[in-house]
Amino acid sequence: MNSLASKARWLGSLAAVGALLLTGSGSAGADTGPSDGPVPGVPRTVELDSSPASVAVGPDGHKAYVAVKDSIDGAKVKVVDTQSGAITAVVTLSTGLGAGPGPVAVSPDGSRVYVLFSTARRAPLSTLAAIDTATDAVVSSTAVPDQPRPEGTLPGALTSLAVSPDGARVYVGQNGPARFHRPAEPSARILSFSPQQQDFTTAVPVPGRYLGSIVTLPGGAAAYAATDENLVHLDTSTATPAVAGAVAAPIGAVPSLALSPDGTRLHGVGSSGTGYAVDLATGTLTTLDIAPGQWLQNPSVGAGGTRLYLVQQDLTGTDGAASVLALDTATNTLVPGEGITGLTWVTGLALGPDGHTFYLTAGSGLQIISL
């Protein structure tokens, strides 16, 4: 696998400082004018002066939304112009030392950004915020309702976030309730939020203790969620989502999921370095042995559907070394020479709508990289 400097296809010049430092000094010659398609980001590093947790990109590629934890002021979303690298807005979600954000998602039409966040010091994620992208203002802040749980247990962690293709529903994943330092109860669930009503309308129990990613399929009639037991198929064709079935998946792995652009194939990767690919038409699951013993996360499928990109985070040392791997989706094998190396402490990856611009939250910055 090539280094970042040798593999990245820069739109401007690269100034390399240390192992990895992307700057905007060479972006003056980039074409940032009108485009018939999604706009690629200009390669650079955007310093955030905060600890980033997650990132999402608008459907036209012009804006990146980074959820950050500020050491003093709490949870925020920083809006980044992907062409200039400028932070154009800072949206405060909660204040107080220790308050932080979780997953962030953008509606398909780009009008709303949704983010999970905590409201108090060292508190777990508990609230869903909706941000109007036209004004960069919070239009709703809704507490997640408590879940049925045995006496002495705490609410399960909020783990994932997804928006329906029509933007009419937002899905939030939650682990089963748990006691301190004990496994969660086997009662994970998915909550459905109505932006119109600004409230949670349905909670769907799913088999499993822990819940990973949620993905929605084109057309809005179905969704899938990964648990520690299986891959759950949800019927989302009505106002009340329901479990429609499940695909047997490796037990113990709670994968992050990525859907192919045509909605026919689903990939899951997890903390064991393994993963799976599922043909959604037949339900056939293929196990993938990608990087045994490594932590795999944040998968994304390229626009052409031929590559699966995912973050490999090395947790064995103290330097937080990380890389982005490229997997050939036709052969389910790693592609030597493709990907990105030289990263540190990656917490999130979003693939831009152009299919080859990567937005990575790493260290205290947002890395914009074009392959």
Side-chain angles (χ1 to χ4, degrees), residues 30-58:
D31 179 11
T32 59
S35 173
D36 293 333
V39 176
V42 176
R44 64 180 72 242
T45 288
V46 180
E47 288 300 330
L48 300 170
D49 297 322
S50 305
S51 299
S54 55
V55 59
V57 182

Side-chain angles (χ1 to χ4, degrees), residues 171-174 188-192 202-206 211 214 225 234:
Y171 301 106
V172 175
Q174 185 174 27
R189 66 176 184 168
I190 296 172
L191 299 104
S192 178
T202 308
V204 184
V206 294
L211 197 146
I214 305 169
L234 294 170

Side-chain angles (χ1 to χ4, degrees), residues 86-113:
I87 297 174
T88 60
V90 179
V91 184
T92 299
L93 303 174
S94 62
T95 58
L97 181 66
V104 61
V106 184
S107 64
D109 66 358
S111 66
R112 291 288 186 271
V113 170

Side-chain angles (χ1 to χ4, degrees), residues 38-331:
V39 176
V42 176
R44 64 180 72 242
T45 288
V46 180
E47 288 300 330
L48 300 170
D49 297 322
S50 305
S51 299
S54 55
V55 59
V57 182
D60 62 3
H62 281 285
K63 296 289 179 67
Y65 301 91
V66 187
V68 302
K69 179 178 180 179
D70 190 287
S71 60
I72 298 176
D73 295 329
K76 299 178 179 179
V77 170
K78 295 193 175 183
V79 184
V80 178
D81 184 311
T82 63
Q83 304 304 292
S84 68
I87 297 174
T88 60
V90 179
V91 184
T92 299
L93 303 174
S94 62
T95 58
L97 181 66
V104 61
V106 184
S107 64
D109 66 358
S111 66
R112 291 288 186 271
V113 170
Y114 298 96
V115 58
L116 294 169
F117 68 97
S118 60
T119 57
R121 177 175 178 172
R122 305 188 186 284
L125 302 177
S126 61
T127 305
L128 175 67
I131 300 169
D132 184 331
T133 59
T135 62
D136 294 320
V138 176
V139 293
S140 68
S141 184
T142 310
V144 174
D146 201 358
Q147 66 190 140
R149 51 193 173 92
E151 184 178 354
T153 61
L154 299 173
L158 305 179
T159 59
S160 47
L161 189 61
V163 185
S164 64
D166 62 1
R169 276 178 282 182
V170 181
Y171 301 106
V172 175
Q174 185 174 27
N175 290 342
R179 293 177 174 84
F180 188 64
H181 285 324
R182 293 187 183 181
E185 298 288 326
S187 53
R189 66 176 184 168
I190 296 172
L191 299 104
S192 178
F193 176 84
S194 168
Q196 183 178 14
Q197 300 177 40
Q198 295 188 0
D199 202 2
F200 289 93
T201 58
T202 308
V204 184
V206 294
R209 299 174 184 267
Y210 303 101
L211 197 146
S213 293
I214 305 169
V215 296
T216 58
L217 270 60
Y224 283 85
T227 77
D228 56 324
E229 291 188 6
N230 50 36
L231 182 65
V232 180
H233 175 202
L234 294 170
D235 180 349
T236 55
S237 61
T238 67
T240 306
V243 174
V247 177
I251 294 177
V254 187
S256 299
L257 300 176
L259 185 68
S260 63
D262 61 4
T264 63
R265 191 174 178 85
L266 195 62
H267 287 87
V269 299
S271 59
S272 63
T274 60
Y276 53 70
V278 181
D279 183 324
L280 296 181
T282 64
T284 304
L285 182 145
T286 303
T287 301
L288 309 179
D289 193 17
I290 301 172
Q294 296 295 310
W295 187 287
L296 303 178
Q297 59 191 7
N298 303 116
S300 294
V301 181
T306 63
R307 292 291 185 271
L308 173 72
Y309 299 102
L310 57 146
V311 174
Q312 175 182 289
Q313 182 73 58
D314 185 0
L315 300 179
T316 60
T318 59
D319 57 356
S323 57
V324 175
L325 307 180
L327 189 83
D328 186 319
T329 57
T331 62

